[in-house]
Amino acid sequence: MTTTGLATPGRAHHRSATRAARRRFLHAVLLAGLWFWAGWALLVLSLPWIVERWGGEADGLTYDAAGGPVRWVAFAVGVVLTAGSLTVHVAAGGTRRSFVDGGLRAAVLAGPVLAVLGVLLTFAERAVYERLDRYWQGPAAPLGVDTPTGVVVQVVGETLVVVTYLMVGIALVAGYRRFGGLRGNLLVLPLLVPAALADLATRTGLFALWLRGGYDDVALGVVGTVGGALVAAALAAVVATRMLHPVPFRP
């Protein structure tokens, strides 16, 4: 009974620190993501009209340019918050583990919001091209978004991509703080492996540009996207936790 009594305050403290990190990450991801989608929507929906006005022809931008750019928003948030607030988090009584757990939970909550906004922008862009009577290439997606299954798979896949990239951002900063600039540079490519796996599973992003067009088989698309992206997200979370655990703090 004594052991249980001592363990309970420790668990409560971890939950409290995790909530604090989750709030910080969630606010940053949603704020950056919403600003990104607002700017990207303006570009995506206005460009066809501008090109049409000057006699040219565009074929679509949604989520293709820059290899699926919203994932880099999540990556940037992971990098910036880890670099700027990890020390404060630990100094306030949190742990490295609660920091990663908070970031993970925030990404799981924010991911569906950003993913749904991406799907809505896809539909809006398609409507613009139909209005202009122009060819639309469609979005980079594991399955077509003209069916409920395709939409759900797209949302789930992109949610897991957001989780993966945020965790990779945390791991990357941890690598530099542990090993310094030179050896940290050598870690960049290995630490990007979960991101590459997420891209390949969802057939989106910079690492999967050569796979554009998605899965030909619906069942394979569901299993490949959800299963593969889930593995990538889990791997990224494990790597972030392991990389961050021994990070030194200097006065």
Side-chain angles (χ1 to χ4, degrees):
M1 293 181 66
T2 303
T3 302
T4 303
L6 291 174
T8 300
R11 289 196 295 269
H13 181 74
H14 176 78
R15 288 195 296 269
S16 176
T18 299
R19 284 195 299 269
R22 184 200 65 205
R23 287 192 297 268
R24 189 176 297 114
F25 273 104
L26 185 61
H27 177 266
V29 174
L30 287 178
L31 183 62
L34 292 175
W35 273 107
F36 164 79
W37 275 130
W40 193 249
L42 179 63
L43 173 64
V44 166
L45 300 181
S46 64
L47 186 62
W49 296 101
I50 295 171
V51 173
E52 179 79 8
R53 171 66 180 80
W54 293 101
E57 183 175 348
D59 59 3
L61 279 174
T62 301
Y63 222 76
D64 287 352
V70 79
R71 67 196 62 209
W72 299 109
V73 174
F75 174 79
V77 168
V79 168
V80 171
L81 277 189
T82 304
S85 66
L86 175 62
T87 301
V88 175
H89 178 81
V90 174
T95 64
R96 297 164 178 83
R97 178 59 185 269
S98 64
F99 186 84
V100 175
D101 287 351
L104 180 62
R105 295 179 187 189
V108 169
L109 292 173
V113 177
L114 302 183
V116 168
L117 289 175
V119 172
L120 292 177
L121 182 55
T122 296
F123 294 150
E125 185 188 51
R126 182 173 64 183
V128 168
Y129 278 81
E130 289 175 352
R131 179 71 179 272
L132 293 172
D133 194 26
R134 293 290 189 177
Y135 167 76
W136 179 59
Q137 67 173 350
L143 296 172
V145 292
D146 52 349
T147 66
T149 300
V151 171
V152 171
V153 169
Q154 174 78 353
V155 169
V156 173
E158 289 306 316
T159 295
L160 294 170
V161 165
V162 168
V163 173
T164 301
Y165 271 75
L166 193 145
M167 291 292 105
V168 169
I170 292 175
L172 194 64
V173 174
Y176 277 108
R177 294 187 71 162
R178 282 181 61 184
F179 301 108
L182 181 59
R183 288 189 295 171
N185 288 334
L186 298 177
L187 280 173
V188 170
L189 289 179
L191 289 178
L192 286 176
V193 167
L197 290 177
D199 286 6
L200 293 173
T202 59
R203 302 293 178 95
T204 61
L206 191 63
F207 295 104
L209 288 176
W210 58 282
L211 289 174
R212 194 187 188 288
Y215 292 89
D216 295 327
D217 181 76
V218 174
L220 180 61
V222 172
V223 174
T225 300
V226 177
L230 189 59
V231 169
L235 177 61
V238 170
V239 171
T241 301
R242 295 291 179 88
M243 290 298 296
L244 206 63
H245 181 69
V247 165
F249 291 96
R250 300 179 180 86

